[in-house]
Amino acid sequence: MNVGRVIPAALGDAALAYAALGVKVFRVRRNKTPYANCPRCDKQSSLYVKHRPEECRCGVPTCHGFWAATTDPALIHKWWTEEPDANIGAPCKPNGWAVIDVDPRNGGDKSFRALEERVGVLPGTVMQLTGGGGLHMPYLSPGFDLPGEPFPGIDFKHNGYILLAPSVHASGGRYRWAGDGLYRAPATPWPETLLPRKERRPAPAPRQAPRHRFPSAASSAKRPGGGKLWTVDDLVQHVMDSAEGGRNRSFYFAACRAHELAEQGLINLYDAEAGLLSAAGAVGLTDSEARASFDSAATRPGDRGWAA
């Protein structure tokens, strides 16, 4: 049974309470930026030295607050004694969480309704009200990276962090746990319907004959530069790994490969279509443009190269 715990109203006491429950915390300014007190690590300082925060060698535990998140009560007491009004940050992945962050001010409520219409009602989990009308839905981490902003007004926070109750929102409202106001550790796995297709458990599906659109050479099933054949999972991952600004091109490339491989009988075109359309939605392409691109790929000449 997931027993609820009372979280004190004072921020410093609340931070200590979370730490006692095994939640790693750090200080966050009211503008949601972590503290970085060491001049060598503060970009506004003339003494700043460029480096990766996770490789910091300054030895000051308050630098790079996100990376300094801890359950050490002595350090937490020191932090909030120095800054009693500091908000409480919690890094998601180090705490084993992945969080759906819904921001209605940016259309998150509409996106969330559309999301559930598309994938079904998401499994229940603990929820936190942000104080500004938003909502946090923490789940257990799926163990691999997720797209950061898959839909307007919705973030999948996994590599980042969230604020914890009773932190103060920019609007002046306080964060609080929904329902009875008690904290309960997230215990529900990340929804399988929100996983990239390659990470989902395989489900039986009727096999259908591939649509034959054009001929292609068997050698074109090779990866760029040779190597093993492309699979549906490879093509889906190619779309999921695409950088902003190149997502349409990556999707079209994968769609072309899918049609060619299906023509050779190496993959099932309908499996590929479902996987690629799901990946397109995850990286921010609309369903209509993804479907149009997928269909367009079927009519492109088959003597094309493999440059991604």
Side-chain angles (χ1 to χ4, degrees), residues 19 48 68 81 83 100 148-149 219 252 254 270 272 288 305 308:
Y48 171 70
T81 298
E83 299 287 346
I100 299 177
E149 300 179 12
S219 61
Y252 186 62
Y270 294 93
S288 59

Side-chain angles (χ1 to χ4, degrees), residues 2 4 9 44 94 144 147 149 166-167 173 182 196 202 238 256 269 274 287 293:
N2 199 350
Q44 305 303 317
F144 55 88
E149 300 179 12
S167 294
L182 302 181
H238 180 73
C256 289
L269 186 60
D287 185 66
S293 184

Side-chain angles (χ1 to χ4, degrees), residues 161-186:
Y161 61 92
I162 62 172
L163 299 186
L164 299 180
S167 294
V168 181
H169 190 270
S171 65
R174 285 190 177 267
Y175 287 68
R176 63 185 179 86
W177 295 103
D180 56 13
L182 302 181
Y183 167 74
R184 292 174 175 82

Side-chain angles (χ1 to χ4, degrees), residues 280-296:
V283 300
L285 299 181
T286 67
D287 185 66
S288 59
E289 64 184 346
R291 289 185 183 277
S293 184
F294 188 86
D295 290 341
S296 176

Side-chain angles (χ1 to χ4, degrees), residues 96-270:
W97 303 345
V99 181
I100 299 177
D101 182 1
V102 182
D103 183 2
R105 296 171 301 172
N106 294 311
D109 52 341
K110 296 177 182 177
S111 292
F112 189 80
R113 287 195 295 270
L115 174 64
E116 290 202 315
E117 287 176 2
R118 178 172 150 190
V119 304
V121 177
L122 299 179
T125 184
V126 296
M127 292 189 289
Q128 181 178 233
L129 307 178
T130 68
L135 179 69
H136 288 159
M137 300 174 63
Y139 290 92
L140 296 179
S141 169
F144 55 88
D145 289 341
L146 297 167
E149 300 179 12
F151 312 103
I154 293 181
D155 289 350
F156 289 169
K157 291 193 171 178
H158 193 211
N159 292 322
Y161 61 92
I162 62 172
L163 299 186
L164 299 180
S167 294
V168 181
H169 190 270
S171 65
R174 285 190 177 267
Y175 287 68
R176 63 185 179 86
W177 295 103
D180 56 13
L182 302 181
Y183 167 74
R184 292 174 175 82
T188 305
W190 180 260
E192 186 173 336
T193 53
L194 299 182
L195 294 176
R197 186 177 176 83
K198 72 181 295 290
E199 302 292 347
R200 300 181 192 176
R201 292 192 299 270
R207 303 291 291 180
Q208 303 183 51
R211 292 175 286 182
H212 296 282
R213 298 290 184 94
F214 49 78
S216 59
S219 61
S220 67
K222 296 287 187 179
R223 283 183 180 274
K228 70 175 184 178
L229 300 177
W230 287 81
T231 66
V232 172
D233 285 352
D234 292 330
L235 296 173
V236 169
Q237 191 61 49
H238 180 73
V239 176
M240 294 296 294
D241 292 342
S242 59
E244 186 174 356
R247 292 166 182 168
N248 282 293
R249 182 172 182 270
S250 294
F251 179 83
Y252 186 62
F253 170 86
C256 289
R257 303 295 78 77
H259 283 290
E260 290 181 348
L261 294 170
E263 172 65 19
Q264 299 170 49
L266 297 174
I267 64 172
N268 182 286
L269 186 60
Y270 294 93

